[in-house]
Amino acid sequence: MSAPKYWREIPQRYRFEAAKCKKCGKVSFPPRIVCPECRSREFENTRINDKGTVETYTVIRVAPTQFTDEAPYPVAIVDVGDGVRVLCQVADCGPEEIKIGMSVRLEFRKVQQEGHGGIINYGYKCVPE
Amino acid sequence: MRDVAVIGVGMNKWGELWETSLRDLIAQSALMALDDAGIEEVEAMYIGCMSSGLFTDQEHLGSMGPDYSGICPVPGTRVESACASGGAAFRSAYMHVASGMADIVMAAGVEKMTDVDGGGATFALATAADQEYEVYNGVTFPGLYAMMANHHMKKYGTTRDQLAQVSVKNHYNGAKNSLAQFRMEVSLDQVKNAVMVSDPLTLLDCSPITDGSAAVILCSMDKAKSLTKKRLVKVIGSGHASDTIQLAQREDLSSLKSTAIAAKQALDMAGRKINDINFAEVHDCFSIAEIMVIEALGIAAQGKGGPATADGTTAMTGKFPVNVSGGLKSKGHPVGATGVAQIVELTKQIRGEADKDRQLKKADIGLAQNMGGSGASSVVHILEGM
Ligand SMILES: [Zn+2]
């Protein structure tokens, strides 16, 4: 992954930075430059909540190349409130334990590694609360 | 806008076509469509293709399409909207003729997927999702649809058996399709016990990797009447809509808003209700997709797509046959060709030219629904025999 491509997403992946519409209050994660609700272009900085509930999930058993060593692993869409949902892996949780409605917390984690001994790419995963 | 008819269709036999190149795939179906229409020239060509670059290192189909179809210097335009590329190419060609800019235009679709290995194909297909917020976190396309399936099952009580019924039905139909990739029937147990790809979807809930192409010729109605003796197939409705590229940002994870909007546009344009339609070809990239699509189209009520599949409503002999071709599941899913192949199937059914043991008795009005990504773009067309 090129350095600029990775670097651009750091505010979201490391710090959960989001944009809140000054006109209607909608929170966009990742930030947008126009609000999809009201078309306003004025935002204030905010952060998404780190606590949420699993709205749906799956267990990836046939994984993309850079994730094959980790399969099977659960992935969920987590509702973190304020109208925001995020998709992330579920860590510290067996494939059989995950359930819709489960309380989880977002944590800063290693997400992928570019080959053996390669660069480590970080981001967020959720863990059971 | 003026009336437009489909006057020629072509589709090669789909499968793992090691001996056939991207360029020959395009040309095979293009020539079949020209021959079927009984013409040698068109004024423009649209080519639906999702990712010839990632699958074969080849872009610039706007040249390669017309070049190898033997129709240079006709202008070529590649149209991309992930798995909805073919439907979008057909709509572009339709608008080109309906606008009066040309009388005869070709819409083709192609994908040459087997020059890369499984990992390469998974990577290329995943580019239809949000790279930084979906793919980065390790989700796959089956994974996205699996999450919709779990949500739908929880919300509406859709069952594992009902999902499997989609694959059973479509393989039953596709076994009778002479151009299908997988001409075999599968049982409920085979689907449920196949290797798990992404819970709850097994390998037999997923459409395959396919090499294939399809092409159709669109013509202004006035000119069509003098060109062909075959039954004229008129485009009476066209709709196209988008939704958020991320599944997580949709209003409702259990419904396909872009399909519902595109369908409403197409039905309104045609002045018809869904129950006026005789049959449909829909985008069953995964078993859950067909269940959600028939709900979005109104063939089944919201949440009732599972029961409508299990009770035979959408079977070949049912009240509203869906995917009599075998759908993406059995016929195959060469991504960019799929939307055009749906038009081929509609046209053949309406003309009474489908394979004998799957020709519908009543096939005067058909609907085609083609969808990109996890439902982030949808194209719907309605065709009627004159
Ligand atoms: Zn706003």
Side-chain angles (χ1 to χ4, degrees):
Chain A
M1 192 176 305
S2 81
K5 181 169 159 36
Y6 182 76
W7 173 82
R8 280 196 300 268
E9 309 297 331
I10 283 178
Q12 283 69 51
R13 291 199 183 127
Y14 289 21
R15 300 189 293 273
F16 306 131
E17 287 183 15
K20 184 175 184 177
C21 175
K22 279 187 174 171
K23 198 169 154 201
C24 78
K26 174 161 178 76
V27 178
S28 288
F29 179 83
R32 296 170 182 259
I33 60 170
V34 58
C35 176
E37 288 294 323
C38 73
R39 313 277 190 267
S40 166
R41 296 179 194 182
E42 290 188 44
F43 295 89
E44 55 192 12
N45 293 333
T46 185
R47 289 186 183 196
I48 58 169
N49 300 316
D50 64 353
K51 290 196 173 75
T53 51
V54 170
E55 192 163 339
T56 188
Y57 70 94
T58 184
V59 178
I60 305 286
R61 295 180 192 273
V62 178
T65 313
Q66 69 272 37
F67 292 97
T68 41
D69 288 350
E70 288 152 57
Y73 54 88
V75 168
I77 289 179
V78 179
D79 185 340
V80 292
D82 300 325
V84 177
R85 298 194 203 98
V86 297
L87 182 151
C88 59
Q89 285 187 37
V90 189
D92 306 344
C93 176
E96 318 309 324
E97 293 163 56
I98 183 164
K99 286 190 176 56
I100 290 176
M102 194 167 95
S103 296
V104 292
R105 187 177 68 250
L106 295 181
E107 285 194 350
F108 180 70
R109 293 281 177 128
K110 169 185 161 183
V111 174
Q112 16 169 309
Q113 186 169 346
E114 297 184 13
H116 292 291
I119 293 168
I120 293 174
N121 297 324
Y122 295 96
Y124 45 85
K125 290 185 181 179
C126 66
V127 296
E129 179 70 334
Chain B
M1 291 230 303
R2 54 186 184 160
D3 289 346
V4 177
V6 175
I7 61 163
V9 297
M11 174 179 156
N12 69 332
K13 166 95 169 75
W14 288 2
E16 289 186 20
L17 310 176
W18 306 112
E19 70 289 355
T20 312
S21 63
L22 174 71
R23 64 187 76 199
D24 286 344
L25 277 179
I26 303 173
Q28 284 173 359
S29 288
L31 293 177
M32 276 190 259
L34 288 167
D35 290 350
D36 185 52
I39 59 172
E40 288 188 336
E41 286 170 5
V42 297
E43 291 159 79
M45 179 179 191
Y46 288 87
I47 305 128
C49 179
M50 176 181 166
S51 198
S52 54
L54 288 174
F55 283 117
T56 60
D57 306 329
Q58 179 69 59
E59 310 286 15
H60 206 178
L61 301 190
S63 161
M64 183 176 267
D67 184 6
Y68 278 81
S69 302
I71 53 174
C72 277
V74 159
T77 306
R78 171 166 159 201
V79 181
E80 189 274 320
S81 189
C83 325
S85 299
F90 179 75
R91 182 170 151 97
S92 302
Y94 166 72
M95 292 190 293
H96 198 145
V97 177
S99 72
M101 268 193 77
D103 282 325
I104 309 179
V105 172
M106 182 189 299
V110 68
E111 214 73 55
K112 173 71 191 166
M113 303 175 75
T114 64
D115 279 358
V116 294
D117 62 13
T122 301
F123 175 80
L125 292 170
T127 60
D130 186 311
Q131 278 299 313
E132 307 297 356
Y133 290 88
E134 294 184 316
V135 182
Y136 180 83
N137 290 317
V139 78
T140 57
F141 249 94
L144 291 169
Y145 276 93
M147 286 197 280
M148 291 189 238
N150 275 331
H151 197 264
H152 202 275
M153 291 164 93
K154 177 86 174 176
K155 188 168 179 182
Y156 298 114
T158 303
T159 65
R160 177 55 269 204
D161 276 19
Q162 289 166 354
L163 295 178
Q165 291 284 3
V166 173
S167 301
V168 171
K169 169 182 73 73
N170 290 349
H171 270 280
Y172 175 85
N173 296 348
K176 305 175 196 315
N177 185 340
S178 54
L179 301 177
Q181 180 176 14
F182 290 109
R183 297 191 65 185
M184 66 198 195
E185 296 183 20
V186 298
S187 70
L188 206 62
D189 283 342
Q190 276 177 304
V191 178
K192 290 194 291 181
N193 297 328
V195 62
M196 190 64 81
V197 173
S198 192
D199 306 28
L201 304 179
T202 73
L203 189 64
L204 288 176
D205 286 294
C206 308
S207 55
I209 303 285
T210 311
D211 298 327
S213 65
V216 302
I217 311 288
L218 292 107
C219 181
S220 62
M221 188 57 83
D222 291 343
K223 194 153 190 167
K225 284 172 183 160
S226 64
L227 277 178
T228 181
K229 299 261 179 301
K230 295 188 176 178
R231 186 179 189 189
L232 286 171
V233 178
K234 183 179 167 186
V235 182
I236 61 168
S238 179
H240 190 180
S242 60
D243 202 343
T244 62
I245 189 155
Q246 267 195 62
L247 172 63
Q249 294 189 349
R250 307 274 163 78
E251 243 168 63
D252 176 14
L253 303 179
S254 286
S255 60
L256 295 166
K257 194 174 168 188
S258 64
T259 290
I261 292 170
K264 186 176 187 313
Q265 288 172 3
L267 286 165
D268 287 351
M269 180 178 162
R272 305 295 170 108
K273 299 268 181 271
I274 188 69
N275 287 329
D276 299 329
I277 312 292
N278 302 139
F279 69 107
E281 285 290 308
V282 310
H283 200 91
D284 60 321
C285 47
F286 299 93
S287 54
I288 182 63
E290 181 169 314
I291 286 174
M292 289 171 67
V293 168
I294 63 175
E295 292 172 2
L297 295 175
I299 295 170
Q302 183 65 34
K304 298 292 182 199
T309 304
D311 71 18
T313 300
T314 54
M316 198 185 294
T317 50
K319 205 176 80 193
F320 202 123
V322 172
N323 282 333
V324 179
S325 70
L328 285 56
K329 180 69 204 77
S330 166
K331 186 173 63 180
H333 184 27
V335 183
T338 286
V340 179
Q342 291 177 330
I343 303 296
V344 173
E345 174 68 13
L346 258 49
T347 303
K348 285 188 177 178
Q349 285 284 349
I350 290 169
R351 285 179 179 172
E353 294 175 358
D355 297 288
K356 252 187 204 148
D357 42 1
R358 56 178 201 88
Q359 171 67 49
L360 295 168
K361 285 197 187 71
K362 184 153 180 60
D364 295 318
I365 309 184
L367 179 148
Q369 179 267 351
N370 185 206
M371 180 159 76
S374 54
S377 58
S378 289
V379 185
V380 172
H381 283 99
I382 304 172
L383 273 55
E384 181 177 23
M386 295 287 104

